Amino acid sequence: HLTNEEKGVLFQHLLDYVNDLKPVLEDRILIGVWKPIEQQLKRDLKKFEEVKLKRSEAGKRSAELRALKKEQQQE
């Protein structure tokens, strides 16, 4: 139920937010619309960081196992 101008401001705010430009909204309505979006983005980022860490650890373990296997084959 936003006007095209409000949608544009909200979208620009989203782009600035994800690019770490620390944007500030002045309009009360847009702030009310923005807060749930911001919370979801934070939850998604936390989830992404957890997955990234798990995949990094798995990759390191895999590399160690491959190196060990290669070492055993050379002997």
Side-chain angles (χ1 to χ4, degrees):
H1 300 281
L2 300 174
T3 66
N4 284 338
E5 183 179 334
E6 290 170 330
K7 290 175 191 175
V9 170
L10 187 62
F11 184 68
Q12 185 62 52
H13 184 80
L14 171 68
L15 294 176
D16 291 346
Y17 181 81
V18 298
N19 288 310
D20 288 331
L21 299 178
K22 312 261 189 266
V24 176
L25 282 173
E26 303 291 329
D27 189 334
R28 291 180 315 118
I29 294 171
L30 292 180
I31 292 170
V33 171
W34 171 249
K35 285 301 177 182
I37 296 169
E38 179 183 33
Q39 291 170 350
Q40 185 63 50
L41 289 171
K42 287 181 180 183
R43 284 190 298 265
D44 290 348
L45 179 61
K46 183 179 176 187
K47 227 179 194 181
F48 170 75
E49 292 296 335
E50 291 170 358
V51 168
K52 186 171 94 172
L53 179 63
K54 287 179 184 177
R55 288 182 180 172
S56 174
E57 291 170 355
K60 288 175 186 176
R61 282 192 306 267
S62 175
E64 289 172 2
L65 289 174
R66 281 194 311 262
L68 185 62
K69 190 181 230 183
K70 184 178 180 181
E71 185 179 301
Q72 287 174 351
Q73 287 177 350
Q74 289 177 348
E75 292 175 356

